[in-house]
Amino acid sequence: SGHVSSKLSETCTYQFGVGVQLAKFTLSKLVVITPYYLLVNQTNIDLHVLEEKGEDVIIPKGDLIPFWPLTDTNRILLRIENENSVLFNYKTSDSIVLKLKTEPTALCVEVQETGSTNVITISSYFEGCTPVRIINLFPNLTLMFRQDVNRESLPWYSVKSGETIMYTWDDPTANRSLKWGLKGTKVSKSLDITKDGQGSFNIDVEPGGTMSFMPSLGPSRFGGTGHFPSLTSPSSSNEMWLSVESKERLSESLVSVEDRGRRIPHTHNKPTTRGHWKSFIDELQRVVVFTNEEGVIDRIKAADGVAKNMIEISLSIRSIGLSLVDNNRKREVAYIGVTQSGVIWQVARRRGHWKTLNNTVIALLEEAYLKNQKDLRHKDLCVNLETMKMFTPLKGALRRTRYEGVELRAGVSKKDFSVQAKIGYVQIDNQLPFSVYPQMLYPLPPPPTVASTLEPKPFVEASVIIRRTDQPNVNHFKYVHVLVQK
């Protein structure tokens, strides 16, 4: 698959997508040629698409049309009833929310780029599609933020105490990070919303008699309505682009059932000196919470953490071999073997985890174990092999084990799906006679200068945690880790 260009004149170039695929009933191959750029209108209104320096194209509602750019710029915009949206890049895969002053107040744009096509899908706004949701739980402070771009024309937005705001980029083609601060304080920081994070900061606030709620996070965590009011002027705090009707207090939707109606007063004679923030993903949306209560951050972490598995499946294979044979010549070509590791020693740590000791300690423990010694004392190493306990340098239970050849574990919880895989020692032998490389792949011990400080590891370790979402065909990868050891 790929795409080709056909230049008709100095200013006009047409691009086509080319895909090659097998026919359904024969071994013939089909070469499919389509326009490279496609515009899809999934809204209930007609839309106009304009290039930065070109003519406009009308997309009827519910229709799909080809798009032939006439300029080399990478940016286009949408027009609805003489109102233009901001420019956005249509040549790279992206998900954008464009805000408008008239109905509809927002449109979602999804750009999907593949080798043979570039599809630009425009759909109506739905709850949770905005890039970030900001929540201010400070009892008496107003949060100020804007897109972190060195351009004074971009507006500042304010979020009063106990309120929330849905925000999308004022300039989707610029740097996508936020600059925020607290009104009346010297706090001013930048925030990268592309990843989870949290932090604390010092603030100076005059003593005041305000009140706050302690939120209770359930399965849906944060409440909110599907209403999406129009955006007017960002200069006034009473005219904000909010997702909550009539600017209802966010605390009312966060307060727990048992705490509803009961407010927790703040101390009048002690100013707030510490603030906290937490950034996490809720369904498809990034949520950033600002608060002076450390307990709020702890409860968010508990709700956003990995839940206990309801179903867990484990598969362990000590060793496995695979022989590749040439049937025509009736001879073996290669042999692939996956075997377990040598003996390793591990010490128990917190939460049921086991830490593998380094090669030097393993050698000392194994030698003492084979000699049936009850105790082992060597420098700072103190171990009782009769009770299988280590006292120094680490304290905990000991166990003697091995890495299996293949180990697979899958777990399913209410909101997560996790997979862990380990592959032990892998060796591929070339079985052809007089081969230049008899062993094509085999485990190589580390150099002696660093071997004593390293710990044995499997050849491949992989862990993946996928968070479930309500949206079909959307996977949120909470954690991905792959380690390959030579």
Side-chain angles (χ1 to χ4, degrees):
S1 62
H3 65 278
V4 295
S5 300
S6 177
K7 191 172 184 180
L8 301 182
S9 63
E10 294 295 333
T11 60
C12 184
T13 301
Y14 289 91
Q15 293 187 352
F16 299 90
V18 180
V20 180
Q21 59 188 23
L22 289 175
K24 293 184 178 180
F25 303 104
T26 65
L27 296 179
S28 301
K29 289 186 177 181
L30 301 178
V31 179
V32 181
I33 301 176
T34 59
Y36 182 67
Y37 295 102
L38 298 174
L39 294 173
V40 183
N41 183 3
Q42 295 182 350
T43 66
N44 55 2
I45 58 175
D46 296 338
L47 299 174
H48 293 254
V49 176
L50 291 83
E51 293 184 73
E52 188 174 8
K53 297 179 181 179
E55 300 179 354
D56 66 329
V57 177
I58 300 177
I59 319 174
K61 57 183 179 181
D63 201 358
L64 179 151
I65 64 171
F67 177 50
W68 310 102
L70 300 178
T71 62
D72 294 334
T73 60
N74 300 332
R75 304 191 298 178
I76 59 175
L77 58 86
L78 302 181
R79 174 180 291 174
I80 302 176
E81 297 181 356
N82 298 325
E83 182 188 355
N84 294 340
S85 70
V86 295
L87 293 165
F88 63 92
N89 193 326
Y90 67 93
K91 291 189 177 181
T92 58
S93 298
D94 200 357
S95 181
I96 313 165
V97 177
L98 304 176
K99 53 186 176 181
L100 303 168
K101 295 181 180 180
T102 59
E103 293 291 338
T105 55
L107 291 174
C108 302
V109 179
E110 190 79 22
V111 182
Q112 295 180 343
E113 181 189 18
T114 62
S116 60
T117 185
N118 186 311
V119 182
I120 306 163
T121 305
I122 306 166
S123 58
S124 302
Y125 170 84
F126 60 91
E127 184 179 359
C129 69
T130 49
V132 61
R133 179 178 187 175
I134 298 176
I135 302 173
N136 181 11
L137 294 182
F138 279 106
N140 54 357
L141 293 176
T142 299
L143 179 72
M144 306 294 296
F145 74 93
R146 58 170 285 183
Q147 189 172 355
D148 193 5
V149 179
N150 294 327
R151 194 157 68 243
E152 295 298 331
S153 60
L154 295 185
W156 283 88
Y157 299 90
S158 64
V159 188
K160 291 185 177 181
S161 172
E163 291 182 349
T164 180
I165 184 172
M166 303 286 194
Y167 174 74
T168 189
W169 307 111
D170 292 291
D171 186 358
T173 62
N175 178 39
R176 296 189 181 182
S177 61
L178 294 179
K179 185 176 183 179
W180 63 273
L182 296 174
K183 190 174 182 179
T185 69
K186 296 181 180 180
V187 178
S188 179
K189 297 180 180 293
S190 295
L191 176 63
D192 183 7
I193 67 166
T194 60
K195 56 184 178 181
D196 293 354
Q198 69 179 72
S200 302
F201 51 92
N202 294 323
I203 52 178
D204 294 323
V205 181
E206 294 295 330
T210 57
M211 299 182 181
S212 70
F213 288 99
M214 177 66 71
S216 176
L217 302 179
S220 61
R221 286 195 282 274
F222 292 105
T225 66
H227 179 67
F228 198 88
S230 60
L231 174 67
T232 54
S233 173
S235 59
S236 173
S237 60
N238 295 324
E239 297 176 336
M240 299 300 298
W241 191 39
L242 297 176
S243 65
V244 181
E245 292 187 53
S246 303
K247 302 186 70 177
E248 70 171 310
R249 305 294 290 181
L250 175 68
S251 302
E252 296 294 341
S253 64
L254 291 180
V255 67
S256 62
V257 176
E258 62 272 17
D259 291 336
R260 190 174 297 277
R262 178 172 61 86
R263 296 189 176 187
I264 304 174
H266 285 265
T267 305
H268 288 256
N269 56 0
K270 185 177 180 180
T272 301
T273 58
R274 196 71 173 164
H276 311 276
W277 64 270
K278 172 70 177 173
S279 175
F280 60 96
I281 289 290
D282 185 15
E283 293 294 336
L284 300 179
Q285 190 174 67
R286 171 70 59 183
V287 179
V288 185
V289 179
F290 295 87
T291 179
N292 66 316
E293 301 280 355
E294 192 172 1
V296 174
I297 302 299
D298 294 337
R299 299 176 75 170
I300 293 175
K301 290 169 63 177
D304 190 51
V306 179
K308 186 177 180 180
N309 289 333
M310 300 182 298
I311 301 175
E312 190 168 302
I313 302 174
S314 298
L315 173 64
S316 180
I317 301 176
R318 178 171 297 179
S319 60
I320 185 173
L322 178 64
S323 180
L324 302 181
V325 179
D326 185 350
N327 290 333
N328 295 328
R329 299 185 179 183
K330 298 181 179 180
R331 66 179 182 181
E332 187 178 26
V333 178
Y335 180 81
I336 305 173
V338 181
T339 61
Q340 62 180 182
S341 67
V343 175
I344 60 173
W345 287 76
Q346 296 177 330
V347 60
R349 307 304 294 160
R350 296 179 181 178
R351 300 178 182 179
H353 294 289
W354 292 86
K355 175 178 174 58
T356 304
L357 302 173
N358 61 49
N359 291 321
T360 301
V361 177
I362 289 176
L364 293 172
L365 291 174
E366 185 65 17
E367 182 181 0
Y369 179 83
L370 296 177
K371 293 181 179 179
N372 295 323
Q373 293 182 213
K374 295 183 179 181
D375 298 312
L376 175 61
R377 296 178 183 273
H378 180 80
K379 296 182 179 180
D380 61 342
L381 180 62
C382 181
V383 174
N384 188 325
L385 294 175
E386 189 174 11
T387 59
M388 294 296 285
K389 290 185 178 180
M390 174 182 283
F391 301 99
T392 58
L394 300 175
K395 188 176 182 180
L398 279 176
R399 73 176 182 181
R400 182 176 180 267
T401 183
R402 299 171 184 266
Y403 289 127
E404 300 294 345
V406 177
E407 189 174 352
L408 179 65
R409 180 178 299 174
V412 179
S413 66
K414 292 182 179 180
K415 56 183 180 180
D416 298 314
F417 174 74
S418 60
V419 176
Q420 296 178 347
K422 294 182 181 180
I423 300 177
Y425 291 174
V426 179
Q427 181 167 329
I428 302 177
D429 295 333
N430 189 347
Q431 301 297 87
L432 297 177
F434 308 109
S435 59
V436 179
Y437 300 104
Q439 284 81 34
M440 301 174 62
L441 179 69
Y442 61 94
L444 183 67
T449 55
V450 297
S452 60
T453 60
L454 297 178
E455 60 186 55
K457 292 183 179 295
F459 176 60
V460 177
E461 286 184 276
S463 298
V464 178
I465 300 176
I466 302 176
R467 175 65 51 88
R468 298 179 180 179
T469 64
D470 293 337
Q471 299 293 329
N473 302 323
V474 176
N475 294 323
H476 171 209
F477 288 86
K478 186 72 177 178
Y479 178 79
V480 177
H481 174 81
V482 178
L483 173 64
V484 178
Q485 180 175 266
K486 294 182 180 180

